[in-house]
Amino acid sequence: MATLDDFRRVADDVRNWGRWGDDDELGTLNLITAEKVAEAAATVTKGTVIPLGGDFGSSGPQGAFKFRQNPVHVMTVDGGDAETLVRYGPQWLRNAVAADVSAFFADNPFRFNDDMIVMPLQAATQWDALSHVYYEDKLYNGFPADSVTSFGAFHCGIDKVDVKGITSRGVLLDVVAHRGEDVFCRPGTPITPQELDDVAAAQGVSIGSGDVVVVHTGWWTRFLDTGDGAEPGAGLDWTCASWLHDLDVAAVAADNLMVEDPDPANGVEGTFLPMHMLCLRDMGLMLGEYWNLAGLAADCRQDGVYEFQLIAPPLKVVGAVGAPVNPIAIK
Ligand code: UVW
C-alpha cells in the first residue's frame, strides 16, 4: 500500500492549479477545444445513437449507503385526479387545495399530468463536480473549501461547466472484454495504468488531449443482475490519476459506483478515495459514475471502433456538487 508521502508527491506532480488562470473553475474541461469538438463530430459515420444513462427510479443502486437514497418519483397531477375533481370534488376542495387545477379541468376536454422527483444528485448516472471532494481546506485551483455552504457551492459547482457542453471525443476502454470476463471485473483486481495502455493498444485506439475516457468494468451489468448497490467490483487504481494527467484527458467515466477501485487495501494508507482527491481537487478532472456502458461495449466489439462523439451535459443545478446526466454516444 502507498504512503501519504507517495500520495503527496503524485498530487504535486498532477496539480493543475493556475494552469488556466487563477479564477478557472473548468479544470481539464479546458482541454476540450473547438478543434476537439469538431474531431469528435467527425467520428460519427453510422448514425448510431447509444444511450449511456441508467434508470432514475426506485430500483436504482442507492440505499446500501445510508446517506443516499434512490429517487422518489411522485405524481402531482394525473388524469385520475382530474376526473375525480370534476365529478366528485367538494366545493371546499375546489376552492382551496386544487382550485387552479379544477378550474383547468371543468367544462373543457383539456387534461394533463405533472410530477416531481426527490433525489440525491449522486443517486444514479452522474458527474461529480470539482467541488464534490476536497482535502486540507482547499477545492480545485485553491478555492477555499468553506465556499461550499448550505446555499450550495460558490466555486466549482456543476453549473459552472455548462459552457463546455459537456461534449468531446469519447474513447471506450473495454476492460471486461480485455480480461475475458463474462460480466464484470472482479473485486480486488484494480485496473492499472499499464492495463489501460494494454486495452487501448489491443483495441487499436489512441487517447489524445481533451478526450473523455470511458471505462467498461461491467459493474452496472452485474448490478442489474443482482440489484445489490453495494456489490464490490474493480475500479481504476489510484495511480491512474497520473495516467489521465499525462495524456491530458478531459474527464473520465465508468459504469461503477466511484470510478476508482473501492478497496482501501489497494489505496493510500490513511486516506479514502485518493483518486477522487487527486482528480477533483488537484487536477480539476470530473468523474462520471454509474454510466450504463453495456450497449456501447457491444457496439464497439461488433464494429471494432472504440471512438465516438460523446454528449453528456450535466443538469445545470445551481451550486450543486454533482448532477444527473443522460449521456449518449453517437457513432
Ligand atoms: C464520494 O466520493 C463520497 O462519492 P462518489 O463515489 O459518488 O464520488
Side-chain angles (χ1 to χ4, degrees):
M1 184 186 267
T3 65
L4 265 179
D5 285 344
D6 298 328
F7 172 84
R8 285 186 198 290
R9 269 191 294 276
V10 174
D12 289 343
D13 189 44
V14 302
R15 192 168 300 126
N16 282 323
W17 296 9
R19 181 171 171 187
W20 296 285
D22 290 343
D23 56 356
D24 176 61
E25 303 189 36
L26 288 175
T28 49
L29 293 182
N30 282 293
L31 296 164
I32 305 175
T33 59
E35 292 72 28
K36 176 55 64 172
V37 174
E39 181 193 338
T43 65
V44 177
T45 55
K46 301 191 292 184
T48 305
V49 176
I50 306 168
L52 309 180
D55 289 346
F56 285 75
S58 57
S59 60
Q62 302 302 332
F65 309 105
K66 302 294 182 222
F67 55 95
R68 286 183 192 154
Q69 305 302 327
N70 281 316
V72 178
H73 175 220
V74 179
M75 299 305 296
T76 48
V77 180
D78 69 36
D81 293 340
E83 300 311 323
T84 303
L85 277 167
V86 169
R87 283 194 208 143
Y88 308 116
Q91 201 55 47
W92 67 265
L93 184 61
R94 293 180 182 220
N95 290 346
V97 186
D100 292 347
V101 175
S102 60
F104 280 127
F105 293 144
D107 303 327
N108 79 77
F110 170 77
R111 297 289 181 266
F112 72 101
N113 302 305
D114 263 21
D115 50 2
M116 60 179 272
I117 191 167
V118 180
M119 60 174 279
L121 294 174
Q122 291 77 17
T125 312
Q126 57 127 358
W127 282 116
D128 283 347
L130 300 185
S131 47
H132 180 50
V133 162
Y134 64 96
Y135 63 94
E136 290 165 356
D137 299 328
K138 296 280 192 238
L139 306 175
Y140 165 69
N141 220 5
F143 290 112
D146 67 7
S147 60
V148 182
T149 73
S150 60
F151 293 100
F154 285 90
H155 286 294
C156 301
I158 200 72
D159 50 315
K160 298 287 170 56
V161 306
D162 76 310
V163 291
K164 281 295 176 185
I166 295 170
T167 183
S168 190
R169 174 178 179 255
V171 175
L172 179 79
L173 295 180
D174 190 351
V175 185
V176 180
H178 189 72
R179 288 188 179 183
E181 297 283 7
D182 286 341
V183 179
F184 79 133
C185 299
R186 308 279 150 178
T189 60
I191 300 161
T192 63
Q194 183 61 57
E195 188 172 14
L196 293 177
D197 280 336
D198 292 346
V199 175
Q203 293 178 176
V205 71
S206 62
I207 294 158
S209 174
D211 288 344
V212 175
V213 172
V214 178
V215 184
H216 182 222
T217 75
W219 187 89
W220 189 260
T221 305
R222 172 77 173 175
F223 161 69
L224 293 179
D225 283 348
T226 66
D228 180 4
E231 174 90 44
L236 299 191
D237 188 77
W238 73 278
T239 56
C240 290
S242 297
W243 184 88
L244 295 162
H245 179 75
D246 293 347
L247 290 170
D248 261 345
V249 164
V252 63
D255 54 352
N256 59 5
L257 71 167
M258 51 180 73
V259 180
E260 75 176 287
D261 197 85
D263 187 350
N266 301 314
V268 175
E269 199 173 21
T271 67
F272 179 58
L273 300 186
M275 193 179 135
H276 271 62
M277 294 160 73
L278 294 170
C279 288
L280 294 169
R281 186 262 202 190
D282 290 308
M283 294 163 64
L285 180 139
M286 287 168 54
L287 305 172
E289 296 164 341
Y290 292 130
W291 290 30
N292 181 2
L293 302 176
L296 177 62
D299 187 272
C300 294
R301 285 177 206 174
Q302 196 261 322
D303 67 6
V305 176
Y306 288 83
E307 64 170 4
F308 48 91
Q309 184 184 29
L310 176 72
I311 300 181
L315 208 59
K316 192 176 174 184
V317 185
V318 177
V321 302
V325 56
N326 190 22
I328 52 172
I330 310 179
K331 293 179 69 181

